[in-house]
Amino acid sequence: MPPDIEAIAEQVFIALADPSRRGILAALAANGPATATDLADRLPITRQAIAKHLALLADAGLVTAEPGERRRVRYRLHSAPMQVAQQFLAALARDWDGQLDALRKLLDEKERS
């Protein structure tokens, strides 16, 4: 697997490890683009904490910041890094499936002998 895919997947997994960040992503998915203030009104997290989480999510490429009215920044979901992480997991699953199938065949052969 190319290292850039692993690096992107790692950033996504780090971002998703925190329940607050998952909550922010879920709120953006359910309600569309929002400011940190909008999110603080919907979630049990302070605006300052949301801003820090949004910065990490932006670093992972999961959200993009876009200028809004009166210098307010709105955050929008960006799915490309999540798709890379899904591809990473699918490749791991394929590798495991092959190894588990080989183990199953070996155990079946031993059981028959």
Side-chain angles (χ1 to χ4, degrees), residues 6 18 28 39 48 54 58 60 70 72 74 90 96 112-113:
E6 287 188 38
D18 186 277
L28 291 172
L39 291 166
Q48 292 79 8
L54 284 168
R70 292 179 268 160
R72 294 179 70 188
R74 298 181 73 76
W96 274 102
R112 283 185 232 139
S113 17

Side-chain angles (χ1 to χ4, degrees), residues 24-35:
I24 291 168
L25 291 174
L28 291 172
N31 302 304
T35 65

